[in-house]
């Protein structure tokens, strides 16, 4: 890409983002419209999408509360993957979390998800925990932390 502009999104984009999420994730990991609206409405929740709001290339949903932030989900449409969109979204989420006063940001990722792990490692994420057999395929979840200060 990586020139696609990023912009905040709101509840109105939930349908198009749920469709994108369904293309990017396995069935048991998919988030529907209601989940996206719910996460966006959490205390400190925010969302950023890449590309045009009516046909986004990817999006990130995150929250920043009481000095800590977390990425709730990050998805890039499969045809747009590998072109820097995910890295741009992650960078923007880190910047927005810092702007909102977070000193660190947490991420959860399957140990089997090599692309996401590589992306997060490049952003400076360090493993701080592990949830055994967390995902439906039996893989562990790694809890990662990025320092924003
Ligand atoms: C993970 C995901 C968000 C990455 O987005 P992307 O736009 O494809 O990633 P980028 O093109 O920005 O790549 C950034 C870095 O990620 C890593 N990466 C991306 N795709 C990769 C792949 N297929 N294999 C290994 N590393 C990969 C690389 O380190 C890359 O840096 P480089 O291009 O300098 O080598 C995207 O693949 C996706 O939506 N996957 C399905 C959903 C998912 O797993 N979300 C994360 C859940 S925690």
């Amino acid at each position: 890409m990586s020139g696609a502009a990023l912009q905040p999104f709101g509840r109105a984009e939930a349908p198009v983002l749920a469709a994108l999420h369904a293309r990017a994730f396995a069935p048991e990991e998919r988030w529907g419209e209601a989940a996206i609206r719910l996460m966006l409405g959490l205390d400190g929740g925010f969302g950023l999408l890449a590309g045009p709001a009516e046909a986004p290339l990817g999006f990130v949903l995150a929250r920043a509360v009481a000095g800590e932030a977390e990425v709730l989900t990050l998805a890039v449409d499969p045809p747009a993957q590998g072109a820097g969109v995910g890295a741009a979204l992650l960078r923007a989420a880190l910047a927005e979390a810092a702007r909102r006063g977070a000193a660190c940001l947490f991420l959860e990722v399957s140990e089997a998800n090599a692309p996401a792990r590589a992306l997060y490692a490049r952003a400076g994420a360090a493993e701080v925990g592990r949830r055994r057999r967390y995902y439906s395929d039996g893989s562990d979840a790694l809890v990662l932390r990025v320092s924003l200060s």
Side-chain angles (χ1 to χ4, degrees):
M1 103 134 200
S2 0
L6 305 189
Q7 57 182 302
F9 65 82
R11 296 165 59 89
E13 277 73 52
V16 75
L17 297 176
L20 190 160
H21 205 269
R23 292 191 293 275
F25 281 91
E28 59 281 4
E29 312 288 349
R30 285 176 189 160
W31 285 16
E33 289 177 39
I36 290 175
R37 282 198 205 93
L38 184 79
M39 295 295 164
L40 205 51
L42 291 175
D43 194 19
F46 63 92
L48 300 164
L49 63 79
E54 60 285 2
L57 301 173
F59 72 102
V60 61
L61 245 171
R63 71 187 299 216
V65 178
E68 284 189 358
E70 63 178 321
V71 165
L72 301 167
T73 195
L74 169 66
V76 175
D77 210 0
Q81 289 177 7
V85 176
L89 285 166
L90 180 60
R91 254 194 323 271
L94 291 167
E96 179 62 17
R99 198 186 67 78
R100 290 171 180 241
C104 63
L105 176 142
F106 290 92
L107 297 145
E108 220 164 71
V109 63
S110 163
E111 62 177 347
N113 191 342
R117 288 181 64 182
L119 172 60
Y120 300 155
R122 276 176 174 257
E127 189 178 329
V128 293
R130 180 181 281 261
R131 300 187 215 284
R132 298 270 170 212
R133 302 187 62 79
Y134 183 78
Y135 293 99
S136 46
D137 66 357
S139 63
D140 291 355
L142 306 180
V143 182
L144 309 178
R145 180 182 185 279
V146 184
S147 175
L148 300 176
S149 43

